[in-house]
Amino acid sequence: MHKLFLLIRLLDYCLLIFFICLYILGITRCLLQFTLMSLVTLYSILLSFYYYLKIQIKKNSLEEGINLCNKCKNFHTDKTTFCLFCNECYYKRDHHCALLGKCINNNNYKDFFGLLFFLSSSLLFMSYLFSNILLFLVGLSVLFYICFISYVWSHNLTIVEFLHGERNIPKFNVLYKVLFDESKEDIYILFLPFMRMNISLLKEIEQ
């Protein structure tokens, strides 16, 4: 198991280095061309990095409950599960993302969705700028994955629960609730995260 952890971590670092190099090339091309397409691509690249860093920085938050976890020996609420890779419990844990080295849970659903969305869009835009079919296929595969997790979350289920055969009636408002109810933010904040700072500033001024 320890070797598996090391292998996954090594894969994580290799892919991170690959995407950093790819994004550096993309940013360079965008700055050199300076067209509308290049600006949109640059925006997608920057936001994908923003959500990646946000997932890495954000800390896990748990409430105490009555259920004892045999692994971490702490009391948690329902729907809290233990992750062997992270060695800690998560509330509404969806899955462990080996590429991020983090668990996807209710604390970072929106950030993970934002990362995938802008990763997909930046890859698709870069495939146009570089005329590269491989980038297009990778971006398209990420887009298909977004559709898959959106479908699963619209059932108000995690990926683990969905793969175990659990099903609910899919509803868009359920997906919206999963993504935005926890963060108490509007949907446009996903695409314009810098507006969050302006809103916070306005609230402080009003107070």
Side-chain angles (χ1 to χ4, degrees), residues 94 147-160 162:
D94 190 74
C147 295
F148 170 69
I149 63 170
S150 299
Y151 179 73
V152 172
W153 291 350
S154 67
H155 286 78
N156 198 23
L157 297 171
T158 64
I159 289 180
V160 174
F162 186 83

Side-chain angles (χ1 to χ4, degrees), residues 75-125:
F75 288 92
H76 302 305
T77 57
D78 291 335
K79 290 194 173 183
T80 300
T81 53
F82 183 80
C83 176
L84 292 173
F85 295 96
C86 298
N87 197 32
E88 61 179 309
C89 284
Y90 291 92
Y91 178 62
K92 290 185 179 179
R93 176 179 173 270
D94 190 74
H95 68 283
H96 181 87
C97 181
L99 302 183
L100 294 173
K102 292 282 186 177
C103 268
I104 307 304
N105 60 95
N106 78 307
N107 196 39
N108 56 17
Y109 279 150
K110 180 179 69 68
D111 300 323
F112 183 64
F113 187 88
L115 170 63
L116 291 178
F117 179 85
F118 287 106
L119 175 62
S120 173
S121 60
S122 60
L123 288 172
L124 292 174
F125 291 144

Side-chain angles (χ1 to χ4, degrees), residues 33-48:
Q33 289 189 353
F34 207 72
T35 60
L36 179 60
M37 176 62 75
S38 64
L39 291 177
V40 174
T41 305
L42 182 61
Y43 185 76
S44 298
I45 291 174
L46 294 177
L47 282 189
S48 62

